[in-house]
């Protein structure tokens, strides 16, 4: 399997959540356990949220004991849950090595979304982002990514058929395409509960524009793609997103064209954070329109959520509406995203979990 198996440091046990379904079946087979037992375990884990082999009632006692000696099904520890007045909840989770990550539960009338993290910190260093400001610590394992999903379902009591998480967005801490293998594995496993009705099209990968990996996503993964663009030209983008000096707008556009060729009916979302006096002029809106009008794209305009120590200010509401009007009048679908969880520092760009680390650019 790709990505290291997570091993319990006190024993030789392996984490079930790190195995893809076919890998767990192969592992059972190697141990002389019939493959259908792996399917039973996966159903308990992903459909019912079970964390103890001893509670898997269709598995005999001696096999329960053996499985418990071979594997574990862990959850990260919930350190804190902050609740917003709009129903959003931000979870601070402690991992086995004592590092921390955050994930956010965002309910609304039509959907229940979880925003997950893919790394502890982030190496990309976008200047407006609290996570990037804190630096990079390490990639999350597949188990650590999917267990955010599991923890939220546990906490919210969402293991029944009629109350489910409907959408997953990789917009938390980290750049998911710099942890591609583990993110792919976590996405595959999220879909193991067929009852949940979670399809790849309800999963959105948000990237700062790692164009070589966008080409892979285009070929391998029919989930939704969101590009954090935030500027209409290279000079402006590089000044707020240094990663643009490595993967420029042209390379991102080429990768997006390939994605659209593979997924004709999936619109690419471009995220555009409006920063006062930086990227919110009428000229920027027109340049953005010209850049994106040939793609199957829509634009989410984001109001900046200020955080302590940040050099940027949010664009005034009137300016945001003007910007949206120029795009919509030009034939590009643009909407102004509602701020969720800003009062608990759970909104876009506000997650940090107090990690400290390094940046790649
Ligand atoms: S916006 Fe995303 S890619 Fe940029 S620093 Fe923050 S977490 Fe990393």
């Amino acid at each position: 399997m790709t990505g290291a198996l997570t091993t319990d440091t006190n024993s030789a046990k392996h984490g079930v959540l790190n195995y893809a379904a076919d890998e767990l079946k192969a592992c059972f087979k190697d141990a002389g356990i019939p493959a259908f037992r792996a399917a039973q375990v996966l159903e308990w884990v992903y459909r019912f949220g079970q964390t103890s082999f001893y509670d898997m009632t269709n598995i005999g006692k001696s096999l329960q004991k053996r499985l418990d000696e071979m594997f574990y099904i862990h959850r990260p520890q919930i350190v804190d849950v902050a609740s917003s007045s709009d129903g959003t909840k931000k979870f601070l989770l402690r991992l086995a090595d004592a590092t921390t990550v955050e994930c956010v539960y965002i309910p609304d009338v039509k959907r229940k979304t979880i925003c997950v993290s893919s790394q502890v910190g982030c190496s990309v260093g976008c200047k407006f982002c609290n996570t990037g400001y804190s630096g990079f610590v390490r990639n999350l394992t597949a188990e650590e990514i999917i267990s955010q999903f599991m923890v939220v379902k546990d906490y919210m009591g969402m293991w029944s058929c009629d109350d489910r998480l409907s959408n997953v967005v990789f917009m938390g801490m980290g750049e998911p395409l710099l942890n591609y293998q583990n993110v792919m594995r976590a996405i595959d496993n999220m879909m193991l509960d067929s009852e949940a009705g979670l399809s790849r099209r309800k999963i959105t990968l948000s990237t700062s524009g790692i164009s070589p990996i966008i080409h892979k996503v285009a070929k391998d993964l029919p989930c939704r793609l969101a590009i954090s663009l935030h500027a209409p030209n290279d000079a402006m983008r590089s000044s707020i997103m240094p990663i643009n000096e490595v993967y420029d707008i042209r390379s991102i556009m080429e990768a997006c064209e390939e994605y659209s060729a593979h997924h004709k009916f999936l619109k690419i979302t471009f995220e555009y954070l409006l920063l006062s006096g930086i990227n919110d002029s009428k000229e920027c809106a027109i340049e953005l329109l010209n850049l994106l009008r040939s793609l199957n794209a829509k634009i989410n305009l984001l109001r900046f959520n200020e955080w302590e120590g940040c050099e940027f200010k949010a664009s005034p509401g009137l300016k945001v509406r003007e910007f949206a009007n120029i795009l919509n009048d030009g034939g590009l679908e643009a909407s102004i995203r509602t701020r969720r969880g800003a009062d608990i520092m759970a909104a876009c760009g506000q997650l940090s979990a107090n990690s400290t680390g390094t940046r790649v650019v």
Side-chain angles (χ1 to χ4, degrees):
M1 64 184 285
T2 44
L5 281 176
T6 299
T7 304
D8 188 320
T9 46
N10 298 318
S11 70
K13 288 186 181 188
H14 295 299
V16 168
L17 299 181
N18 254 327
Y19 283 86
D22 53 349
E23 291 165 349
L24 192 67
K25 284 174 190 163
C27 183
F28 272 43
K29 205 169 155 211
D30 289 347
I33 304 168
F36 80 91
R37 293 295 189 189
Q40 287 177 317
V41 168
L42 291 169
E43 184 175 37
W44 279 110
V45 170
Y46 288 103
R47 184 163 176 205
F48 300 113
Q50 192 53 258
T51 56
S52 168
F53 295 103
Y54 292 108
D55 291 327
M56 298 181 182
T57 51
N58 55 355
I59 292 175
K61 295 236 175 303
S62 64
L63 183 54
Q64 287 176 347
K65 183 167 181 294
R66 193 161 165 221
L67 291 175
D68 188 59
E69 287 163 1
M70 293 170 69
F71 300 101
Y72 64 86
I73 311 162
H74 276 175
R75 298 283 196 267
Q77 182 194 353
I78 298 178
V79 179
D80 186 44
V81 181
S83 298
S84 163
S85 53
D86 66 15
T88 300
K89 290 189 190 301
K90 180 174 75 170
F91 295 78
L92 177 63
L93 305 176
R94 181 177 292 123
L95 307 173
D97 64 354
T99 54
T100 51
V101 288
E102 292 176 328
C103 63
V104 184
Y105 168 70
I106 310 156
D108 72 19
V109 180
K110 288 191 182 155
R111 62 186 78 172
K112 290 176 177 168
T113 302
I114 177 174
C115 171
V116 296
S117 294
S118 53
Q119 297 179 315
V120 183
C122 183
S123 59
V124 172
C126 302
K127 293 189 176 165
F128 48 79
C129 172
N130 201 7
T131 306
Y133 186 77
S134 306
F136 176 71
V137 178
R138 68 174 176 83
N139 281 334
L140 295 181
T141 63
E143 175 187 51
E144 288 167 337
I145 296 168
I146 197 162
S147 61
Q148 297 168 55
F149 181 82
M150 309 296 243
V151 159
V152 170
K153 288 179 81 158
D154 290 345
Y155 188 89
M156 302 304 298
M158 297 181 115
W159 290 104
S160 65
C161 289
D162 50 358
D163 191 18
R164 298 278 181 173
L165 283 174
S166 58
N167 295 70
V168 179
V169 294
F170 282 81
M171 294 183 182
M173 297 166 64
E175 165 51 68
L177 300 195
L178 292 179
N179 187 15
Y180 185 64
Q181 294 298 336
N182 290 334
V183 166
M184 295 305 102
R185 178 174 299 270
I187 288 175
D188 282 343
N189 285 356
M190 280 173 197
M191 244 120 12
L192 284 175
D193 177 5
S194 55
E195 296 290 312
L198 189 68
S199 71
R200 285 178 196 266
R201 291 181 181 205
K202 294 196 172 172
I203 296 177
T204 302
L205 271 178
S206 175
T207 176
S208 58
I210 313 296
S211 41
I213 313 292
I214 297 174
H215 285 285
K216 284 192 189 187
V217 172
K219 288 186 192 129
D220 303 346
L221 196 68
C223 63
R224 291 187 180 274
L225 183 65
I227 306 288
S228 295
L229 191 65
H230 307 316
N233 60 60
D234 282 322
M236 193 180 292
R237 192 166 191 265
S238 294
S239 73
I240 54 175
M241 297 180 73
I243 192 77
N244 193 71
E245 284 168 20
V246 184
Y247 306 114
D248 64 9
I249 290 180
R250 185 175 172 173
S251 77
I252 296 169
M253 292 302 127
E254 284 170 3
C256 287
E257 278 164 18
E258 185 174 4
Y259 176 91
S260 289
H262 284 271
H263 310 293
K264 290 195 171 51
F265 302 108
L266 291 183
K267 274 192 177 176
I268 300 172
T269 302
F270 286 83
E271 310 278 351
Y272 196 100
L273 185 65
L274 285 147
L275 303 169
S276 184
I278 306 285
N279 63 356
D280 61 348
S281 67
K282 285 180 187 169
E283 291 73 25
C284 286
I286 293 164
E287 205 176 350
L288 186 63
L289 185 61
N290 291 332
L291 179 70
L292 299 182
R293 68 173 11 138
S294 64
L295 279 175
N296 184 19
K298 62 177 180 176
I299 300 184
N300 277 344
L301 296 175
L302 313 175
R303 292 196 167 123
F304 182 54
N305 300 298
E306 294 169 19
W307 43 273
E308 201 182 329
C310 179
E311 61 191 281
F312 301 107
K313 294 274 172 248
S315 297
L318 185 61
K319 199 125 197 184
V320 174
R321 284 193 293 281
E322 268 177 17
F323 202 95
N325 289 342
I326 292 170
L327 298 174
N328 282 314
D329 291 347
L332 204 57
E333 181 187 338
S335 53
I336 301 167
R337 272 251 299 269
T338 317
R339 291 186 210 223
R340 298 299 303 267
D343 55 337
I344 53 167
M345 292 289 285
C348 285
Q350 289 186 318
L351 301 186
S352 77
N354 301 320
S355 58
T356 52
T358 55
R359 299 182 201 179
V360 287
V361 286

